[in-house]
Amino acid sequence: MTTETQKPQRVDGTLTSIGQKKPRIDGTLKLTGGADYAADRNLPNQTWGYPVSSTIAKGRLVALELDEALAMPGVLDIFHHDNFDKLSRSPNDFAAANKVGESRLPFEDNEIYYHGQYIALVVADTFEHARAAARKVRAQYEKSDDQLTDILALDSGQGDLPGEDVPGDASSRGDADSAFESASIQLDQRYSIAHENHSVMEMHASVAQWENDMLTVYESSQGVVFQRNALAKIFGIPQEKVTVISHFIGSGFGSKLFMWPHAVMTSVAARRLGRPVKTVVPRELEYLNTGYRPTSLQRVRLGADDSGKLLSIHHDGCNETSPAGLHDDTVSGATPSMYDCDNVAVTNRLVTVNKGAPTSMRAPGEASGAFALETALDELAVKLEMDPLELRKKNFAEKDPAADLPWSSNHLKECWDNAAQRFGWNKRNPTPGAMKDGDEIIGYGMATQSWEAMRQHCSARFGFRDDGTLLVACGTQDIGTGTYTIVAQTASEMTGVPIEMIDVRLGDSSLPSGPLSGGSFATATVLPAVSAAMKEALAELKTLATAEGGVFENVDQDSITLRDGRLVSGDNSIEIAELLRQNRIGLVDGEASTKPGDEQDQYSFRSFGAVFVEVRWDPGISRLRVARVCSTIDIGRAINPLTATNQVEGSIVMGMGMGLFEQIEYDAHGYPYNNSLADYVVPVNADMPQIEVELLDYPDYLRNEFGARGVGEVGLTGVAAAISNAVYNATGKRIRDMPISIEKLLAS
Amino acid sequence: MRAFELESVEAIDQAVSHRRVHDGEAFIAGGTTLLDLVKLDVMQPEKVVDVSRLPLKRIETLEDGRLKVGALVSNTELAKHEIVMRDYPVLSEALLSGASTGLRNMASTGGNVMQRTRCPYFRDPAMPCNKREPGTGCSAIEGINRNHAVLGTSEHCIATHPSDMCVGMVAAGATLVLEGPDGQREVAFEDYHLLPGDSPEREHDLKPGELITHVILDAPRSGGQHYLKLRDRASYEFALASCAAIVNLDGDNISEVRLALGGVATKPWRADAAEAVLKGQPATQENFEQAAEAAFNDAVAYSHNGFKITLGKQAIVRALRDATAAARG
Ligand SMILES: Cc1cc2nc3c(=O)[nH]c(=O)nc-3n(C[C@H](O)[C@H](O)[C@H](O)COP(=O)(O)OP(=O)(O)OC[C@H]3O[C@@H](n4cnc5c(N)ncnc54)[C@H](O)[C@@H]3O)c2cc1C
Ligand code: SF4
């Protein structure tokens, strides 16, 4: 094992696999039903869990009446506070890779913190029996009526935001207060984004099995290593005794990064019954206890001179969090890096509400923060009577002003120009309502996009097999984004072995530890580890080849290169598989761990983009539609432009959801009103605008030898702002609270 | 698992005569409403009578020019039937604006008439709801009522009738044919669905043991027709407000007009007050707006659905404009 921290070498020249548009290598498996998603798993002797959850938002569970349910056919047991195993909470530490979604253990006490909180788990011989019995469990509550589910109602509309300040989130440079006071142009506005839910296609599920004292959990997880570590802490057993498997994931968007209580209660039930237990979280509960993007309230103050130069930026954020699990979305966190401005101050606050724990949702923090900042800039441009794109260009940050470091690679200016040109921004009439087409009024809006380009530590295994195939293994996941495919492309690029002959293994915590599939860091993190592991294996092969009696006996190892699946030295070459067969070896493999080096302290890593939106507003019938979205993004090198573009397209659609539709609503009693796929409105096919995405191709070799940053999230940032800015251009109405619903358009 | 008895019937008399008359029984046709509600624990039939094989799948023109539609004709077949597309475009458009292709392929004409409200409180057995459990109270009036009705409400229930098809049928004019243990009877489509009043659990005039066998559409009204459905997203969502309009012109004046509303009322809603404003008057924007005002004269807004009054009026004005344009050809 080696640890590679030195400056990465470039991989460039002619690429044959990296940078090619490759369809997903797991596509056929998915289309033919061969992909084993967590809930598809059925183990011998398996039983089924079905949860019972609280129907009040706050109070105490006084009694559970179980007799009727226990007498139902097929029921094996019912788990709840009084008979549950005594466990320890996970330390819930990101750095130690054991962070969980809800820190509270299931059934830990009889307090009710939120509607949808688990109060019992019924286990029966079939799903139908478990569900029927779960409905016969009767709960008695002592209800408190002082529940809080709406942080927007707490806002006075002026001055400080509600909630507790998080001191660690605050940062500042210069003197923002005085600069704002003395600025000739001032803007002070509040913005909000409603509680959004991930609404994943594949439902959350755990299938847990104990064999001897080893626990295996099949889970739909974006982080098998995190879940393995957390379960080990909770059960007080060594990590080696826990395996978490998640071969395929039908989307997660952050809701599957950190473990939720259903996995713990399912594992306990499996241990107690001595049989495997499968629990699929019911759709309606997914909206309540597997995380969500918290409602956020923001205040942005901008000070500028008459030329549009930013003199001050204040960005205060506030998001809701839960007694069941703390989540700080840090919505203002990225703001200090976004524009060149000497005086900047940001803060964040938290309000605890009676809802389940919020969690990361695609571009957490930044998607919300960018909405506020980029809308505020549009408002500033209106005050200045300046083109919003020009305003941004005027304040371009040549280096990262927050860290005072150069960018590793920044092509934002080209993104702005490229997208503006493709979109036809120069045809924009800045006067609201001036562009018309029949019944419709057209509006144009734009925003800057951005997401930090992180890289984490990672281990991987790489093997050459005697049948000519390769094995590449890493304990990360493919959440549908194409990780299997880009790992295979990279292995193919390095070895010349065709992609069809590469066996990629992911989604298993017993493999060398890989990163979460989140934060857009999986690509930049995993590929260097794969490369380092390949080099380890290659060194072994060279040793074999140069051994006594070998093809390359007496040849200098450094002269041997790897090409088209062969070891080559001068005119001599041997197929690697042949070399292995000659030596009667089935597999030569290597393992390596990699992590970012000191470039981390020398540069700032960030992806940027620009998004332009055309909306159409038909005032006669109050109909608003997004007609066209044009985005240009710089993500370093796209390993697979097909899947990378697809990530941006999907992000745009999600941004439309944030801007136009998505909102979980709680009524005055703390009752979640629309926690179903039918009632929670997301964009559907008929809403799809014309989407045109272009990825710039500037490899960022400071990030890694492949020049790849990540792509999962940057495309979402700015979309809601560009929509609301376009809506202003069409209607003259400035909607600062997302989503832009019909009633808000009618009211303003 | 909740056990229930399943009986498949092949003939209409079997369907009706075999039914023990109590509410523990339910017909199932396409199942797109019933199965959901059973799984949600909202409907708990002890016996399910599968009527999907009954010979009620034809669409035929009667001698008097009316169109007789079997209760098991699917929403897709009805919408795509050439006579419907030609003579009842408002109905075809209404059907095609509903649900999704897959659902419309399963959904039957009778089942669509009988579909139940989408009020989330109704669909969650943990919540008080007068329609589901009479006397427990209405959660929506004090709760969230964005999707609820502004017309035809009562202090006991404000749930909207969700159907698009029924709105098209009210505009086109129709009669329901019901077959029961005591024989056959006909009910005017408009009279079939009931206002909630003080018994929101009673949703329609179907007697225990009765089956809808047909919907007979009035002879075509010709004229210009249009169905306009307004909602948050472009598809796969129930109406926030919809309007079915049929306009006949005599020169520039409106000679005949039929208007029906969806998404805003507790039943498929005939906007007769609006029709009265228009009859004999010039087909102008001002008159359309006056008609729209008249349609919502008696509207009652609740905490979250006031915007539906504006939206409903807009739906009327635009549907009238487009139906008028169609009438002019
Ligand atoms: C996700 C979703 C979206 C939808 N969106 C829309 C929409 O936008 N617009 C819209 O209009 N509708 C929409 N629908 C509703 C859909 O149109 C109805 O579910 C469908 O029409 C019901 O027909 P069915 O044959 O499946 O009824 P079933 O589910 O079989 O039956 C429904 C009810 O009718 C009774 N019944 C059935 N046939 C008869 C009969 N012949 N006589 C007496 N009683 C009978 C049954 O006992 C049951 O109570 C949607 C449904 C879903 C699930
Ligand atoms: S509106 Fe009607 S259906 Fe909805 S909760 Fe009230 S009574 Fe029940």
Side-chain angles (χ1 to χ4, degrees), chain B residues 117 119 121-122 128-132 137-141 148 156-159 200:
Chain B
T117 184
C119 170
Y121 299 105
F122 169 75
C129 166
N130 286 329
K131 190 187 272 300
R132 197 186 58 247
C138 170
S139 296
I141 290 177
H148 291 71
H156 303 284
C157 179
I158 60 171

Side-chain angles (χ1 to χ4, degrees), chain B residues 27 29-34 99 108 112 114-115 163-164 212 229 238:
Chain B
F27 293 126
T32 61
T33 286
L34 187 78
S108 66
N112 196 318
M114 296 293 290
Q115 69 171 296
S163 173
D164 292 297
I212 300 173
K229 179 174 180 179
F238 290 91

Side-chain angles (χ1 to χ4, degrees), chain A residues 55 128-129 132 135 439 618-622 625 661 665-667 671 673 681-682 684 686-687 742-743, chain B residues 1 39 41 120-121 124 126-127 144 146-148 228 230-235 240 307 310-311 314 318 321:
Chain A
T55 56
E128 286 79 8
H129 280 150
R135 289 186 170 148
D439 289 332
D618 185 338
I621 51 173
S622 304
R625 295 285 180 253
F661 308 128
E665 292 182 273
Y666 281 74
D667 74 12
Y671 174 77
Y673 173 76
V681 183
V682 297
V684 293
D687 293 296
I742 294 171
E743 53 267 51
Chain B
M1 193 167 90
K39 286 193 274 185
D41 220 19
Y121 299 105
D124 183 347
M127 299 308 292
I144 294 177
R146 174 174 199 259
N147 306 85
H148 291 71
L228 176 66
L230 303 180
R231 45 185 158 183
D232 298 297
R233 65 184 172 198
S235 174
L240 289 170
F307 74 101
T310 312
L311 204 62
Q314 291 184 325
R318 182 63 64 85
R321 184 195 79 177

Side-chain angles (χ1 to χ4, degrees), chain A residues 272-518:
Chain A
R272 291 272 293 275
L273 292 168
R275 294 172 67 176
V277 179
K278 180 196 294 197
T279 307
V280 180
V281 178
R283 225 1 134 192
E284 67 274 16
L285 291 186
E286 253 179 29
Y287 288 86
L288 310 179
N289 60 25
T290 62
Y292 55 94
R293 188 195 303 283
T295 310
S296 60
L297 179 61
Q298 306 180 56
R299 179 184 185 197
V300 178
R301 276 168 288 167
L302 301 176
D305 68 16
D306 296 337
S307 76
K309 181 79 201 74
L310 283 170
L311 301 176
S312 73
I313 302 175
H314 287 83
H315 190 169
D316 304 304
C318 165
N319 72 261
E320 57 192 356
T321 182
S322 168
L326 181 83
H327 175 80
D328 179 1
D329 223 41
T330 56
V331 296
S332 63
T335 295
S337 292
M338 295 306 297
Y339 292 99
D340 181 51
C341 176
D342 291 337
N343 305 293
V344 177
V346 303
T347 65
N348 276 302
R349 290 167 174 262
L350 294 174
V351 179
T352 304
V353 296
N354 295 103
K355 297 185 185 179
T359 193
S360 297
M361 179 166 164
R362 205 175 199 174
E366 282 192 41
S368 304
F371 161 68
L373 180 64
E374 294 293 319
T375 309
L377 282 167
D378 201 73
E379 299 202 54
L380 186 68
V382 171
K383 279 191 184 235
L384 287 158
E385 295 183 19
M386 187 172 178
D387 183 291
L389 176 57
E390 290 310 313
L391 173 64
R392 286 163 175 89
K393 286 184 173 175
K394 175 140 194 115
N395 293 287
F396 175 72
E398 296 285 352
K399 57 171 188 171
D400 180 354
D404 197 22
L405 290 174
W407 302 111
S408 63
S409 168
N410 180 333
H411 299 274
L412 173 57
K413 284 178 175 167
E414 187 174 337
C415 292
W416 278 329
D417 288 338
N418 176 297
Q421 198 263 327
R422 289 190 295 120
F423 181 80
W425 181 250
N426 58 1
K427 297 194 196 76
R428 172 179 184 267
N429 185 329
T431 308
M435 299 189 286
K436 294 205 171 84
D437 180 13
D439 289 332
E440 294 178 331
I441 303 176
I442 298 171
Y444 286 1
M446 61 84 55
T448 301
Q449 307 181 274
S450 171
W451 181 251
E452 192 182 349
M454 293 170 274
R455 180 180 162 186
Q456 312 271 328
H457 59 86
C458 179
S459 303
R461 180 155 54 242
F462 199 104
F464 293 88
R465 294 195 184 114
D466 67 353
D467 60 359
T469 62
L470 304 181
L471 168 72
V472 193
C474 177
T476 187
Q477 311 66 219
D478 184 331
I479 56 172
T481 52
T483 308
Y484 279 113
T485 309
I486 60 162
V487 168
Q489 282 176 270
T490 304
S492 174
E493 187 68 52
M494 295 187 301
T495 59
V497 172
I499 218 168
E500 305 73 48
M501 299 189 56
I502 301 171
D503 176 11
V504 184
R505 304 276 176 95
L506 309 174
D508 183 333
S509 66
S510 63
L511 300 174
S513 284
L516 292 172
S517 298

